[in-house]
Amino acid sequence: MKAVVTGGTGFIGSHIVDLLHQSEYEVAVIDIQPPGAYWEVPAGVMVEKMDVATPECEEFIASYHPDVVFHLAARASVTDSIHNPHEDARTTIDGMLRVLEGARKGKTKKVVFSSTAAVYGNPSVAIPISESTTADPISPYGASKLAAEYYLRVYRDLYQVDYSILRYANVYGPRQGISGEGGVIAIFSKAAIEGRTLRLFGDGGHTRDYIYVRDVARANLLAAEKTGSFVLNISTGSETSNRELIEYIQEVAGHTLEVSQEAERPGDIRRSALAPGSALYGIGFRADTAIRAGLEETYRWMKDWVAHV
Ligand SMILES: NC(=O)c1ccc[n+]([C@@H]2O[C@H](COP(=O)([O-])OP(=O)(O)OC[C@H]3O[C@@H](n4cnc5c(N)ncnc54)[C@H](O)[C@@H]3O)[C@@H](O)[C@H]2O)c1
């Protein structure tokens, strides 16, 4: 099987590439950034430094003839999308069209798309949020991801390119940078390792549904190998508060951490979790890394990385 991974040198993409390589896929990566020093690209994986929203990307996919494209390239940040909505839309919407045109011409069977909980906005429904909840984004990032989801549906109907839309909760784990969506575990871990004060916005009661990156990579493979087109949350369904995260990091670090409590950030959703049941039913996926275990691995990786740079 041949696969293209856009955004494949990034945090989640690099874990998908590792898993594809272990599963004996032939893999090509498209990314605007070269691989970071924290990741050794597996032997035989081709890395093309390319902007996803360009004709070169479309042509590359068309001529490579992948069976599946894992499409992750994005400016993965809500805040960035508010400051640079044009760039966000160019990367996510034009990028999706380049991927889809390449897939159509290259006779690709499926596109697996990394979407986000941000498409739901801030719905007034019970938590955890299911896939049947009306999408109602409140940021340019959520809006462009939702638009890209619609293009997938259109290309399935017009050209029979199947899709798997995966709406991730907050992904964490080794290789995550300290900016971007859901980076709080990386930010807290790095501050704890460097002996800095942790900045806590609000009373510590804000919750998120944290899912470990290797579980997300596994979900991508399962979604690619399942026939048909579908939309699934990729999540645990459980909420962890910032206060709990700090307690866990203290346990892993083995010492008390200094925390400065600051004003709540405007627009910060109080609670967030996505219902995981459809992924279990649809592709047999269940996230099986407990937050405490995943956090320990992330902390250990961050400690090695901080010592290395
Ligand atoms: N991390 C999360 O918690 C989370 C949650 C929901 C959805 N997602 C989605 O998952 C995907 C991967 O996110 P991540 O956390 O690994 O972020 P990341 O920033 O580590 O990875 C994104 C990659 O896309 C690349 N990229 C950006 N613009 C590009 C362009 N124009 N052309 C080619 N490559 C480009 C970047 O260089 C980077 O390697 C994104 O689509 C993101 O929106 C992430």
Side-chain angles (χ1 to χ4, degrees), residues 6-14 30-34 38 50-53 71-77 87 90-92 113-118 141 145 166-172 175-177 179-183 211 213:
T6 77
T9 70
F11 162 50
I12 303 171
S14 64
I30 292 175
D31 205 300
I32 205 161
Q33 294 290 343
Y38 48 77
M50 209 180 270
D51 184 333
V52 74
H71 180 33
L72 293 95
R75 295 166 66 94
S77 160
E87 263 310 302
R90 195 189 76 83
T91 308
T92 299
F113 178 48
S114 288
S115 191
T116 165
Y141 173 71
K145 285 283 188 183
L166 305 182
R167 294 176 175 164
Y168 305 152
N170 288 69
V171 188
Y172 74 99
R175 302 181 201 151
Q176 186 167 34
S179 59
E181 239 188 305
I211 182 163
V213 67

Side-chain angles (χ1 to χ4, degrees), residues 12-242:
I12 303 171
S14 64
H15 286 277
I16 294 175
V17 171
D18 284 348
L19 190 56
L20 289 170
H21 182 256
Q22 286 157 22
S23 310
E24 297 185 354
Y25 276 71
E26 188 182 325
V27 186
V29 166
I30 292 175
D31 205 300
I32 205 161
Q33 294 290 343
Y38 48 77
W39 180 47
E40 196 175 323
V41 181
V45 170
M46 189 196 305
V47 179
E48 295 290 321
K49 192 167 178 296
M50 209 180 270
D51 184 333
V52 74
T54 57
E56 290 71 40
C57 171
E58 180 179 324
E59 285 315 311
F60 178 82
I61 294 172
S63 59
Y64 188 74
H65 299 291
D67 297 284
V68 56
V69 178
F70 295 87
H71 180 33
L72 293 95
R75 295 166 66 94
S77 160
V78 169
T79 313
D80 175 73
S81 80
I82 292 167
H83 296 305
N84 302 298
H86 290 292
E87 263 310 302
D88 170 79
R90 195 189 76 83
T91 308
T92 299
I93 300 175
D94 290 353
M96 177 57 91
L97 279 166
R98 293 297 177 189
V99 165
L100 283 170
E101 278 295 289
R104 177 179 73 78
K105 293 180 192 165
K107 308 256 176 295
T108 296
K109 295 181 197 74
K110 176 169 271 201
V111 176
V112 180
F113 178 48
S114 288
S115 191
T116 165
V119 299
Y120 295 115
N122 195 2
S124 57
V125 294
I127 283 182
I129 300 166
S130 76
E131 293 85 347
S132 60
T133 303
T134 305
D136 191 10
I138 55 170
S139 64
Y141 173 71
S144 63
K145 285 283 188 183
L146 186 60
E149 289 190 6
Y150 274 100
Y151 278 107
L152 285 165
R153 292 168 197 254
V154 169
Y155 270 66
R156 194 272 316 270
D157 292 348
L158 287 178
Y159 307 116
Q160 295 76 53
V161 179
D162 271 326
Y163 63 78
S164 300
I165 293 169
L166 305 182
R167 294 176 175 164
Y168 305 152
N170 288 69
V171 188
Y172 74 99
R175 302 181 201 151
Q176 186 167 34
I178 57 166
S179 59
E181 239 188 305
V184 65
I185 290 180
I187 293 166
F188 281 176
S189 298
K190 192 159 190 282
I193 290 161
E194 293 174 344
R196 287 184 284 110
T197 302
L198 272 59
R199 296 177 68 197
L200 175 65
F201 298 100
D203 62 2
H206 287 76
T207 70
R208 294 293 180 267
D209 177 345
Y210 293 101
I211 182 163
Y212 192 57
V213 67
R214 290 197 181 96
D215 285 333
V216 173
R218 193 163 48 82
N220 271 266
L221 247 73
L222 288 169
E225 289 171 0
K226 178 88 183 177
T227 52
S229 295
F230 42 82
V231 183
L232 297 173
N233 290 336
I234 299 299
S235 61
T236 69
S238 303
E239 295 172 69
T240 303
S241 70
N242 284 337

